[in-house]
């Protein structure tokens, strides 16, 4: 994991929320450690996070990638602790929609390698920070709309993203994204007070 990677951060939140013991193995993205031969064997995309665990039935070492997939896996294999993914069909769809706003509509489009590459390729015509801010702002506007709609229902009055009284997979994705937004000078507290309050 890399400390500032929002995808890795999501997984750490989920592991702690589920009460699953784990060890963080640092991977320094700035030094390119994710492109080493050893790491590429675990994830050929050269991205964090990677969850490694031993299959107790076979003794095999398993490497799992993609943060949302990892969180879904943890929720299934550790059902005895608080669920991060709702079981109610409507709530589950709402969670999936919000997660995808962050996971597909914001995070990859403000990722440093992408925005820095665009700035270089455009010879400065595309400004990395401005590009990232645009996608973060649009995504956060959408999230606030989705959260507000749920809160308008008397059934969803809790303080978290889904209007629940305990965090969900959406909250695990939101908190790291709020940190990233501030890195790109998005005034979260002023522009998105509903999201800031959830944090």
């Amino acid at each position: 994991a890399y400390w500032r990677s929002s995808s890795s951060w999501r997984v750490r939140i989920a592991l702690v929320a589920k009460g699953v013991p784990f060890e963080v193995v640092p991977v320094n993205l700035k030094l390119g450690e994710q492109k080493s031969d050893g790491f590429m064997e675990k994830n050929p995309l050269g991205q964090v996070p990677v969850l490694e665990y031993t299959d107790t039935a076979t003794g095999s070492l398993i490497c799992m990638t993609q943060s949302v997939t990892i969180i879904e896996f943890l929720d299934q294999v550790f059902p005895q602790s608080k669920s991060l993914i709702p079981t109610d069909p409507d709530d589950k769809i709402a969670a999936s929609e919000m997660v995808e706003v962050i996971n597909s509509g914001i995070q990859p489009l403000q990722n440093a390698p992408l925005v820095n590459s665009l700035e270089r390729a455009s010879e400065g015509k595309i400004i990395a920070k401005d590009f990232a801010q645009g996608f973060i702002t649009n995504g956060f506007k959408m999230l606030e709309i989705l959260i507000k709609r749920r809160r308008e229902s008397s059934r969803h009055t809790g303080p978290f993203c889904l209007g629940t009284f305990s965090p969900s997979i959406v909250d695990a994705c939101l908190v790291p994204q709020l940190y990233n937004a501030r890195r790109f000078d998005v005034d979260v507290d002023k522009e998105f007070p509903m999201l800031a309050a959830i944090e």
Side-chain angles (χ1 to χ4, degrees):
Y2 182 63
W3 71 272
R4 207 164 63 186
S5 159
S6 58
S7 297
S8 296
W9 192 347
R10 297 171 192 168
V11 173
R12 292 196 304 273
I13 290 171
L15 286 162
V16 170
K18 298 293 288 181
V20 179
F22 65 98
E23 176 189 356
V24 174
V25 178
V27 177
N28 193 322
L29 303 186
K30 289 201 166 190
L31 296 178
E33 291 176 356
Q34 74 279 16
K35 300 297 183 184
S36 69
D37 291 343
F39 191 85
M40 293 291 282
E41 286 179 16
K42 298 172 184 179
N43 184 356
L45 283 175
Q47 297 173 343
V48 293
V50 173
L51 177 71
E52 289 184 273
Y53 67 96
T54 302
D55 184 332
T56 53
T58 65
S60 302
L61 183 66
I62 308 294
C63 293
M64 182 179 295
T65 68
Q66 306 305 316
S67 61
V68 174
T69 300
I70 292 169
I71 295 170
E72 290 172 347
F73 167 78
L74 292 171
D75 215 50
Q76 289 177 22
V77 298
F78 297 99
Q80 66 277 16
S81 53
K82 187 66 181 172
S83 180
L84 295 171
I85 300 172
T87 54
D88 176 85
D90 291 338
D91 292 345
K92 191 171 186 177
I93 289 169
S96 181
E97 183 178 18
M98 291 182 198
V99 165
E100 283 307 305
V101 169
I102 299 167
N103 190 49
S104 300
I106 302 176
Q107 192 273 333
L109 300 168
Q110 54 88 80
N111 212 10
L114 172 68
V115 295
N116 292 335
S117 295
L118 286 172
E119 187 167 278
R120 283 192 304 273
S122 70
E123 298 179 344
K125 291 176 185 172
I126 296 172
I127 307 300
K129 186 172 87 169
D130 295 344
F131 184 88
Q133 279 180 342
F135 283 101
I136 293 167
T137 299
N138 287 341
F140 277 3
K141 284 178 182 175
M142 178 66 175
L143 273 178
E144 284 213 330
I145 289 168
L146 293 173
I147 292 167
K148 185 178 178 185
R149 284 179 187 163
R150 285 182 66 80
R151 288 185 176 176
E152 286 170 352
S153 161
S154 59
R155 195 163 74 89
H156 307 292
T157 57
F160 295 101
C161 289
L162 291 174
T164 53
F165 288 91
S166 63
S168 72
I169 187 173
V170 187
D171 304 286
C173 292
L174 175 65
V175 170
Q177 189 56 59
L178 289 169
Y179 171 85
N180 277 343
R182 293 184 178 103
R183 280 183 57 220
F184 286 104
D185 295 331
V186 175
D187 191 343
V188 173
D189 299 299
K190 182 179 176 183
E191 295 181 47
F192 303 103
M194 188 181 296
L195 301 182
I198 292 167
E199 186 180 31

